[in-house]
Amino acid sequence: MKKHFFPLLIIVLSVIVWLIAFPHLPSQIATHWDFSGNVNGYSTKLGAMMTMVGLLIFLYIMFLFLPKVDPKKENYKYFTRSYRIIINSLLFIFFILNLLIIFYSLGYPIPMSSLGSFIVGAIFIILGNFLQTVRTNFFIGIRTPWTLSNDTVWRKTHRFGGKIMFIAGIIMMLSTFIPAGWREAIVIISIIVSVVLPIYYSYRVFKQENR
C-alpha cells in the first residue's frame, strides 16, 4: 500500500484543486500552446478537468498493470525503485501541468511558451537518468529488434541512450531562456536525436556482438 500512496495523493490533490477552481474558471479554457506562447487549443472547463485528471488515472493504472502482463515481468524486480521513481516523477510533472492550466485560466501571467520546453526537458532528464537501470521488457525503454533479442545490447543501448536523453533534457530546459523560434528548433532536434541515435547505436552494438 505504501507504494500507492504518492500516486493516489497526486490524483486526489488534482481533483481537489480542479473542484476548488472550477466555479471560477471561464466556460472555455486554454489547453494547448505553440512555442511562441499563443493558444492554439481550447476545451470546456469540464472537458479539460476530465481529460487532465483522467490522464493521471490512466498513467497510474497503466504503470500498475504493465509488470503483470509483460512476458518479461520477472525482470521488473531488478529495477523496482527506478520504475517507481519514473512513475511518481511523471505523475508529479503532469500534476504541475494541471496547476499551470488552472492558474493560466484564472488569469495569472503564466509563461506557458517557455515552461513547455522546461517540462519536456524535465521529463527527458528523469527518463534519461533512470533508463540506464531498466532491464529487458516489452513496454519501457528503447525497444528495438536488436535490444529485445540480446540483453547485452539492451544494457549498452540504455546506458548510451540514457546519457543522450539526459543531455537533451538539459538542452531543452536551457532553451527556456532563448527566443521562441530558436527554442522550437532546439526542442525538435533534441527529441529527434534522442530517438534516432540510440536506435542506430543498438543496431551497431548488435552487429558487433554477433561478429
Side-chain angles (χ1 to χ4, degrees):
M1 184 61 190
K2 188 177 180 180
K3 65 181 180 181
H4 301 293
F5 176 77
F6 185 80
L8 292 176
L9 176 64
I10 288 293
I11 293 171
V12 171
L13 285 177
S14 297
V15 172
I16 292 173
V17 172
W18 272 104
L19 290 177
I20 292 173
F22 196 84
H24 310 287
L25 295 172
S27 58
Q28 294 283 324
I29 65 175
T31 53
H32 196 272
W33 296 258
D34 62 22
F35 280 94
S36 298
N38 301 312
V39 180
N40 58 9
Y42 290 89
S43 297
T44 64
K45 59 181 180 180
L46 178 60
M49 182 180 73
M50 297 297 290
T51 299
M52 297 306 296
V53 174
L55 179 61
L56 288 172
I57 296 172
F58 171 77
L59 286 173
Y60 171 60
I61 293 175
M62 182 185 70
F63 281 119
L64 191 64
F65 281 96
L66 287 185
K68 302 181 185 299
V69 298
D70 196 323
K72 292 184 177 291
K73 57 186 176 183
E74 69 278 358
N75 284 344
Y76 282 76
K77 64 185 178 183
Y78 297 113
F79 62 96
T80 301
R81 178 176 175 274
S82 296
Y83 187 71
R84 193 175 302 164
I85 290 174
I86 290 173
I87 296 171
N88 291 341
S89 299
L90 291 178
L91 288 173
F92 181 73
I93 287 174
F94 280 105
F95 170 69
I96 296 299
L97 185 57
N98 272 270
L99 296 182
L100 292 175
I101 290 174
I102 290 171
F103 285 126
Y104 183 92
S105 301
L106 291 172
Y108 290 90
I110 308 294
M112 298 300 289
S113 60
S114 56
L115 285 176
S117 57
F118 190 89
I119 290 173
V120 174
I123 292 173
F124 269 63
I125 287 175
I126 293 167
L127 292 177
N129 192 39
F130 292 100
L131 202 61
Q132 301 177 52
T133 64
V134 173
R135 295 289 188 94
T136 311
N137 70 91
F138 283 94
F139 292 111
I140 299 174
I142 305 164
R143 302 175 309 281
T144 69
W146 311 291
T147 56
L148 290 173
S149 64
N150 188 301
D151 286 343
T152 300
V153 176
W154 175 282
R155 185 174 64 256
K156 290 183 177 180
T157 298
H158 281 73
R159 286 177 180 172
F160 174 79
K163 293 174 182 176
I164 295 295
M165 290 187 71
F166 188 85
I167 294 171
I170 292 176
I171 292 172
M172 283 188 274
M173 291 183 79
L174 291 176
S175 73
T176 300
F177 306 103
I178 65 175
W182 285 97
R183 187 188 313 130
E184 180 177 3
I186 288 174
V187 170
I188 292 174
I189 291 172
S190 297
I191 292 174
I192 292 174
V193 169
S194 299
V195 172
V196 174
L197 272 186
I199 292 175
Y200 174 71
Y201 183 82
S202 70
Y203 172 73
R204 287 291 303 274
V205 173
F206 179 82
K207 296 291 285 186
Q208 292 172 2
E209 290 292 323
N210 286 276
R211 282 177 182 172

